[in-house]
């Protein structure tokens, strides 16, 4: 049992998980099949040839006796009667394993070899009829006989049929044993060859597996690092790897170009839009004689300009993160102070009650203060956006052995379970109905990028109708 388990483990170690559609299995099965057909045909052909060689001399001998027998009888008739001459000719030609007898059409045996008088042989051979004129092998109760029967005519007198039987049991048994050994050897060779072929093919397609392992790791932001180096691979596979490398270079250039364009466009648009927003706000502040309609139009334009500036800022941040140009000034921060500062900041644009639950001691983490503020403001902003007025938003800090955990919770509408895994994707928004409050679907992907850039992690837990908690974890500072 243990041996079987080990054997199976070895198979899987070779990468032999039997996937019937894999190139390895198909090649192995195909090559093993054709080898089996080749070896099998060779074995069958060898067997047939061997039997032919064994039988052919006996056949020639029997044919010769059948041809010469009438002449022998004729010679003896000069000294004796026809029936005595026939018996004499038989005695002369018969041996222990070569038997002759003459049988009339009515089934009467008129002359026979002495050995046929023995009960065992006589009762088996003499009653036989329908024996062909060309010698053929007959299996008679485990003994093999090469037999033929030809009409016997001497001086135009028909004497009946001459039967000749040659005992070839020894030769035939030897031949059958040989055939059995040949079949076993063929099966063993086919088995060994199948294993050898499987091993060889496995070795041969290793470079292909290596290519797929390397390509699995390629992602948009690591395009420039993706190169496939294959040593000792077949030239076709090396060619494939080179083509792949060239494609990656082209993709990397196109990706870089797109990133650069996005970054430039965002940058170029952000400045004039910020100026427009500033003018709109100052017009709103100072325009004492504006009508209600003008005021409303200007304030809509101002908030849309702000939203677009925010979107451009988000795009710029993501472009920076993608190109590895986002730098973090990581330094020890006292989280208690930072949170209090944040709550003061949020009071300026929201009347929502923000509750903070802090442990008594000071908590320090290593992070970029501005980026961490950006993260928490984003989460607080979402919590406010996606919960009803009057429902508080809570920020809770916990400290465990090796990590500091920040929970930002609301008692809002929640996020459906099947969407929770996707909300950190770029431009992903749960549904339009809940997004009346604006937003671009970029906020959480930036939050994730920033948190991970500072060495932390973020996750979400949410229940529909009950609320959502975002959990940010940083390693503790000791
Ligand atoms: P948006 O700009 O749309 O807020 P985000 O990336 O910040 O983009 O959020 C992605 C989506 O996740 C949002 O569209 C919203 O549907 C959902 N979401 C985010 N935070 C919350 C929350 N606190 N409660 C409910 N849904 C949320």
């Amino acid at each position: 049992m243990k041996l079987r388990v080990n054997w199976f483990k070895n198979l899987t170690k070779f990468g032999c998980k039997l996937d019937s559609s894999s190139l390895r299995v198909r090649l192995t099965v195909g090559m093993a099949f054709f080898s089996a057909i080749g070896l099998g045909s060779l074995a069958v052909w060898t067997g047939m040839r061997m039997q032919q060689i064994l039988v052919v001399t006996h056949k020639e001998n029997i044919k010769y006796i059948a041809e010469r027998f009438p002449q022998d009888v004729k010679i003896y008739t000069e000294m004796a009667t026809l029936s005595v001459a026939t018996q004499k000719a038989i005695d002369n030609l018969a041996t222990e394993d070569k038997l002759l007898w003459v049988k009339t059409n009515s089934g009467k045996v008129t002359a026979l070899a002495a050995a046929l008088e023995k009960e065992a042989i006589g009762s088996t051979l003499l009653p036989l009829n329908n024996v062909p004129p060309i010698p053929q092998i007959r299996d008679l109760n485990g003994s093999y006989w090469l037999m033929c029967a030809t009409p016997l005519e001497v001086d135009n007198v028909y004497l009946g049929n001459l039967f000749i039987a040659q005992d070839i049991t020894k030769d035939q048994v030897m031949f059958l044993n040989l055939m059995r050994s040949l079949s076993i050897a063929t099966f063993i060779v086919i088995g060994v060859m199948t294993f050898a072929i499987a091993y060889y093919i496995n070795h041969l397609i290793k470079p292909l597996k290596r290519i797929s392992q390397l390509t699995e790791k390629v992602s948009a932001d690591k395009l420039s690092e993706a190169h496939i180096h294959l040593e000792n691979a077949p030239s076709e596979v090396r060619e494939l790897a080179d083509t792949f490398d060239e494609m990656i270079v082209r993709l990397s250039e196109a990706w870089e170009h797109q990133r650069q364009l996005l970054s430039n466009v965002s940058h170029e648009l952000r400045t004039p839009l910020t100026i427009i927003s500033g003018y709109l706000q100052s017009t709103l502040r100072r325009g004492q004689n504006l009508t209600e309609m003008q005021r409303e139009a200007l304030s809509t334009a101002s908030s849309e300009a702000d939203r677009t500036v925010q979107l451009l800022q988000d795009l710029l941040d993501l472009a920076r993160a993608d190109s590895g140009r986002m730098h973090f000034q990581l330094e020890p921060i006292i989280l208690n102070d930072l949170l209090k500062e944040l709550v003061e900041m949020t009071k300026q644009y929201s009347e929502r009650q923000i509750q903070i639950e802090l442990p008594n001691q000071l908590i320090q983490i290593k992070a970029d203060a501005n980026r961490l503020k950006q993260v928490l403001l984003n989460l607080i902003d979402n919590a406010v956006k996606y919960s009803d007025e009057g429902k508080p938003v809570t920020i809770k800090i916990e400290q465990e052995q090796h990590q500091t955990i920040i929970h930002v919770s609301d008692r809002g509408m929640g996020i459906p379970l099947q969407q929770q895994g996707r909300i950190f994707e770029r431009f992903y928004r749960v549904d339009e109905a809940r997004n009346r409050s604006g937003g671009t679907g970029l906020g959480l992907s930036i939050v994730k990028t920033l948190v991970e850039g500072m060495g932390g992690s973020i996750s979400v837990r949410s229940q529909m109708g009950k609320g959502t908690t975002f959990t940010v974890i940083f390693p503790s500072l000791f």
Side-chain angles (χ1 to χ4, degrees):
M1 183 67 190
K2 201 170 171 201
L3 201 81
R4 256 174 46 200
V5 172
N6 281 345
W7 175 80
F8 188 73
K9 263 189 197 161
N10 281 345
L11 268 186
T12 33
K13 203 169 78 188
F14 274 144
C16 291
K17 273 176 240 145
L18 288 181
D19 170 9
S20 58
S21 60
S22 75
L23 185 64
R24 181 183 50 222
V25 171
R26 285 183 186 189
L27 275 176
T28 309
V29 169
M31 282 175 76
F33 176 73
F34 288 116
S35 318
I37 288 202
L39 278 173
S41 318
L42 188 69
V44 169
W45 180 82
T46 312
M48 279 165 62
R49 276 298 292 152
M50 270 165 57
Q51 194 177 36
Q52 239 178 13
I53 291 165
L54 271 177
V55 166
V56 87
T57 15
H58 294 306
K59 269 190 181 172
E60 292 301 320
N61 203 321
I62 287 176
K63 265 197 218 158
Y64 171 73
I65 291 172
E67 276 167 21
R68 109 170 219 197
F69 190 79
Q71 290 161 24
D72 281 13
V73 175
K74 199 175 170 193
I75 292 167
Y76 286 120
T77 49
E78 288 170 10
M79 305 172 245
T81 62
L82 205 53
S83 62
V84 174
T86 312
Q87 184 59 50
K88 269 193 174 296
I90 286 177
D91 291 343
N92 187 34
L93 289 168
T95 60
E96 240 178 58
D97 55 0
K98 193 188 300 140
L99 309 176
L100 292 92
W101 67 100
V102 176
K103 195 157 80 172
T104 61
N105 284 351
S106 58
K108 189 178 170 221
V109 177
T110 52
L112 76 171
L116 282 164
E117 282 168 18
K118 287 183 202 154
E119 172 68 24
I121 305 177
S123 61
T124 312
L125 292 177
L126 294 179
L128 290 177
N129 288 314
N130 296 331
V131 178
I134 296 161
Q136 265 184 11
I137 298 175
R138 290 234 177 149
D139 176 0
L140 302 173
N141 305 328
S143 58
Y144 297 91
W145 294 85
L146 192 61
M147 293 182 71
C148 75
T150 49
L152 177 62
E153 246 184 61
V154 179
D155 286 339
N156 293 331
V157 180
Y158 176 68
L159 299 176
N161 278 322
L162 168 69
F163 286 78
I164 308 170
Q166 166 90 47
D167 185 2
I168 55 162
T169 309
K170 260 195 217 155
D171 290 352
Q172 191 68 8
V173 167
M174 191 182 77
F175 166 74
L176 289 176
N177 283 341
L178 215 74
M179 280 309 289
R180 205 166 299 133
S181 309
L182 193 66
S183 321
I184 293 170
T186 308
F187 276 114
I188 292 174
V189 170
I190 289 173
V192 171
M193 270 181 73
T194 308
F195 268 99
I197 288 170
Y199 181 79
Y200 179 64
I201 288 174
N202 196 44
H203 175 75
L204 212 62
I205 62 169
K206 252 185 197 154
L208 282 177
K209 267 201 253 164
R210 178 111 186 87
I211 291 186
S212 89
Q213 277 165 359
L214 287 169
T215 48
E216 242 172 44
K217 290 183 199 145
V218 175
S219 60
D221 46 338
K222 286 185 187 152
L223 274 177
S224 52
E225 296 162 25
H227 286 296
I228 298 179
H229 300 291
L230 294 175
E231 277 160 27
N232 301 329
S235 55
E236 292 87 347
V237 180
R238 269 209 312 272
E239 233 169 77
L240 179 71
D242 290 347
T243 317
F244 180 82
D245 269 349
E246 283 162 20
M247 186 190 76
I248 290 284
V249 169
R250 285 199 300 276
L251 269 179
S252 171
E253 282 168 5
W255 178 243
E256 187 50 45
H257 192 250
Q258 187 196 336
R259 220 156 36 189
Q260 198 57 49
L261 184 76
L262 182 70
S263 170
N264 291 347
V265 169
S266 308
H267 201 269
E268 291 304 317
L269 287 177
R270 195 181 50 162
T271 317
L273 267 170
T274 314
I275 296 169
I276 292 172
S277 167
Y279 275 122
L280 286 170
Q281 273 163 25
S282 89
T283 314
L284 267 171
R285 265 198 314 274
R286 293 197 201 138
Q288 311 298 349
N289 41 9
L290 288 171
T291 65
E292 195 50 39
M293 228 174 74
Q294 285 168 330
R295 198 165 271 287
E296 206 180 306
L298 282 176
S299 109
T300 310
S302 164
S303 69
E304 280 307 306
D306 283 348
R307 204 172 83 84
T308 316
V309 169
Q310 185 53 49
L311 169 68
L312 291 171
Q313 181 60 48
D314 288 352
L315 284 172
L316 257 176
D317 279 347
L318 285 173
R320 275 200 200 111
D322 285 344
S323 62
R325 281 187 287 118
M326 184 174 265
H327 298 296
F328 297 95
Q329 285 188 335
L330 299 181
E331 53 191 6
I333 304 171
I334 297 174
L335 209 50
N336 312 50
D337 298 344
L338 187 126
L339 283 184
K340 282 176 195 152
E341 200 184 318
L342 264 183
V343 173
E344 286 308 310
M345 276 171 75
T346 53
K347 277 183 188 158
Q348 291 169 17
Y349 68 88
S350 163
E351 286 165 10
R352 189 68 66 88
Q353 190 195 347
I354 314 268
Q355 294 172 347
I356 318 181
E357 292 178 28
L358 285 168
N360 291 331
Q361 80 273 25
L362 287 183
I363 294 177
Q364 259 198 339
I365 58 167
K366 200 171 184 188
D368 181 320
N370 286 331
R371 295 300 190 188
L372 185 58
K373 273 187 207 159
Q374 190 180 346
V375 165
L376 295 174
L377 277 175
N378 234 312
L379 294 178
I380 295 169
D381 187 40
N382 274 352
V384 171
K385 259 198 312 196
Y386 300 111
S387 64
D388 291 333
E389 276 174 35
K391 298 256 172 84
V393 170
T394 315
I395 306 176
K396 186 176 166 192
I397 311 286
E398 283 176 338
Q399 189 145 44
E400 285 184 2
Q401 250 187 344
H402 300 295
Q403 49 197 26
T404 301
I405 305 165
I406 310 170
H407 302 283
V408 180
S409 315
D410 62 65
R411 295 192 211 148
M413 58 184 76
I415 305 166
L417 187 64
Q418 62 274 28
Q419 318 237 17
Q420 288 177 20
R422 301 201 56 194
I423 53 170
F424 295 103
E425 290 173 17
R426 289 177 191 185
F427 295 106
Y428 190 81
R429 312 192 74 200
V430 174
D431 59 51
E432 283 312 316
R434 63 164 63 199
N435 292 323
R436 288 185 304 268
S437 40
T440 56
L442 283 178
L444 286 179
S445 68
I446 289 176
V447 164
K448 189 170 159 62
T449 309
L450 293 180
V451 170
E452 288 174 356
M454 291 186 280
S457 66
I458 182 164
S459 59
V460 65
R461 220 162 11 93
S462 183
Q463 240 184 318
M464 288 301 283
K466 291 203 170 157
T468 304
T469 299
F470 282 92
T471 304
V472 180
I473 302 179
F474 285 105
S476 287
L477 240 196
F478 293 105

